[in-house]
Amino acid sequence: MERITQVEVGLGDRAYPIDIGSGLLTQAGQGLTGVLRGKKVLIVTNGIVNHHWGAPLRRSLEEAGFSVAITEIPDGETHKRIETVASLYDACVAARLNRTSAIIALGGGIVGDVAGFLAATYMRGIDFVQVPTTLLSQVDSSVGGKVGVNHRDGKNLIGAFYQPKRVIIDTDTLSTLPVREVRAGYGEVIKTALLGDPDLFAFLETAGADVLRLDAAALRRVVAACCRAKAGVVEQDEREAGIRAILNLGHTFGHALETLTHYQTYRHGEAVAVGLIAACRLAQTVLGLPETVTDRVRRLVQAADLPVRFPAFSAEEWRKALAMDKKNQDDQVTFIVPAAIGQSLVRADIPLSLALAVIHEMTE
Ligand code: NAD
Ligand code: MG
């Protein structure tokens, strides 16, 4: 029996479907026939992902009549930079890509962001397809059209909004992903549930362990719910003029923690996970969120072996790190605070002292 869930991202003439299921890599070629303008594609991936998943994707594309070139970028956030894109332009020229060719990103969020920026800019924009292979990229980064690279002075400073023609999510690819990466991606899953999907939250409370051990049906259910939730927000505010900011629930604290630890200690999803607990505690103070909600969020975070407390830094260090958050207008730090499970608010009027008090209480 076919088990594919399809989620539509409704963006007018830039609308596209997300296919989610097990075994989809081997059907990718068939699925892209009639979707892409031409027959020439360049797969952008990295060495690890290519080793595990490059061959079946290539075979499927070739069987469907596509002419396939494949190129690897080095692994790691330090290579998410403009020099990497420059070398990819060379690969595009060498592969003789033209206006009707397509770029296919096969990998995690880094490959997706870099390859998407390449697709957005090569010949002023060619067809782009996302084939995300980390849980984080399946539930978050492959949806919504933000593409780009880091500058030496800041993350994601260079980029574009560029929607793919299709997103193909084969949950089987997670079978080779390191456990720590699965758990980190799960931090963003908890975020999405808390943000806008009470049913997903309840599902995680009963079946979270199935997701973490990569049960195919549980994964399909969860990935689809996350894509649907993110698509819903992006449809309202594609270019982050307003409401899209709520996707940053837990991120004000999380980014500060990543800054303080120089992006060396925590995976992004780990920092977000502890940040979610902090956002709940802050909401207890400013919105009267019941403590039971915070407890339920903490239980989900703990069950995934994600951090529930902050390491020790001085109030001054925290203040500086929080004030660097890019969402800030002037000196005011913006926090996203849950009003209930499934509903969050963007607030720019919360005194930093309250956030610092929460961090103090949560410091080990
Ligand atoms: P990543 O791309 O670095 O992947 C994590 C690690 O897993 C890497 O070592 C990678 O090589 C490896 N890997 C990937 N798939 C694998 C597989 N199936 N089997 C084995 N190993 C595999 O990290 P990530 O967490 O996927 O993405 C992080 C990036 O995403 C950051 O740069 C972040 O800024 C970006 N991001 C973008 C958006 C967006 O909207 N565009 C949203 C969130 C995050
Ligand atoms: Mg995030």
Side-chain angles (χ1 to χ4, degrees):
M1 196 170 64
E2 286 283 277
R3 290 213 179 84
I4 302 178
T5 302
Q6 203 168 64
V7 173
E8 187 72 23
V9 185
L11 289 170
D13 59 355
R14 280 160 296 106
Y16 56 96
I18 304 166
D19 291 339
I20 303 146
S22 150
L24 297 194
L25 217 53
T26 56
Q27 304 167 31
Q30 242 175 302
L32 292 174
T33 303
V35 172
L36 302 180
R37 280 179 286 177
K39 279 288 173 195
K40 191 167 268 182
V41 301
L42 175 66
I43 299 172
V44 177
T45 185
N46 71 30
I48 298 170
V49 181
N50 195 14
H51 169 72
H52 292 296
W53 304 103
L57 179 61
R58 174 195 274 265
R59 200 177 314 120
S60 156
L61 289 161
E62 285 177 347
E63 279 167 11
F66 289 99
S67 143
V68 183
I70 189 156
T71 187
E72 294 178 359
I73 63 172
D75 195 21
E77 188 77 38
T78 53
H79 298 285
K80 185 175 140 177
R81 58 176 177 195
I82 201 69
E83 290 82 357
T84 304
V85 182
S87 73
L88 288 171
Y89 292 134
D90 296 340
C92 288
V93 174
R96 298 175 184 280
L97 298 199
N98 61 33
R99 275 174 218 283
T100 65
S101 306
I103 301 289
I104 301 181
L106 174 69
I110 291 179
V111 164
D113 282 10
V114 170
F117 189 72
L118 171 73
T121 49
Y122 182 71
M123 292 194 165
R124 299 192 183 81
I126 62 174
D127 284 351
F128 177 46
V129 175
Q130 290 264 24
V131 186
T133 63
T134 62
L135 184 57
L136 181 126
S137 58
Q138 297 187 348
V139 298
D140 187 353
S141 66
S142 68
V143 179
K146 280 191 184 178
V147 298
V149 295
N150 303 326
H151 181 270
R152 97 178 83 74
D153 289 335
K155 262 184 71 76
N156 300 320
L157 283 188
I158 302 156
F161 289 96
Y162 195 67
Q163 301 297 342
K165 289 283 176 236
R166 188 150 297 218
V167 182
I168 299 170
I169 300 182
D170 185 341
T171 53
D172 293 356
T173 57
L174 302 181
S175 63
T176 55
L177 192 65
V179 167
R180 188 173 176 193
E181 296 291 342
V182 174
R183 294 178 187 281
Y186 191 79
E188 294 279 8
V189 173
I190 301 172
K191 175 204 78 175
T192 303
L194 176 59
L195 190 70
D197 191 341
D199 291 343
L200 176 62
F201 196 94
F203 183 78
L204 298 179
E205 290 184 311
T206 57
D210 295 339
V211 180
L212 290 165
R213 65 176 175 79
L214 305 180
D215 172 77
L219 269 177
R220 187 160 50 91
R221 157 89 174 75
V222 163
V223 172
C226 289
C227 290
R228 213 173 280 125
K230 185 161 180 188
V233 173
V234 170
E235 284 163 5
Q236 293 172 58
D237 179 23
E238 186 180 5
R239 290 174 169 256
E240 195 160 335
I243 192 70
R244 188 166 175 164
I246 68 164
L247 296 173
N248 287 323
L249 177 59
H251 283 58
T252 310
F253 292 101
H255 282 150
L257 178 58
E258 289 181 282
T259 302
L260 285 170
T261 52
H262 308 286
Y263 291 87
Q264 299 296 311
T265 314
Y266 296 88
R267 296 291 298 142
H268 173 68
E270 295 169 343
V272 168
V274 60
L276 291 175
I277 301 170
C280 286
R281 295 192 60 144
L282 189 59
Q284 284 178 229
T285 311
V286 297
L287 299 176
L289 181 78
E291 188 171 7
T292 50
V293 173
T294 309
D295 292 341
R296 289 170 69 185
V297 171
R298 189 187 299 101
R299 274 199 290 275
L300 284 183
V301 170
Q302 205 148 28
D305 273 336
L306 290 161
V308 294
R309 302 187 68 78
F310 289 117
F313 287 99
S314 70
E316 186 51 24
E317 288 171 305
W318 274 110
R319 199 193 56 75
K320 270 197 200 134
L322 285 164
M324 268 176 48
D325 196 271
K326 70 177 176 193
K327 291 183 298 301
N328 305 335
Q329 313 262 325
D330 306 323
D331 277 329
Q332 191 57 55
V333 178
T334 300
F335 290 95
I336 321 297
V337 272
I341 290 174
Q343 197 202 336
S344 285
L345 304 172
V346 181
R347 289 278 296 262
D349 60 344
I350 298 175
L352 209 51
S353 58
L354 293 182
L356 293 173
V358 162
I359 290 168
H360 184 71
E361 288 164 19
M362 286 178 57
T363 296
E364 47 203 3

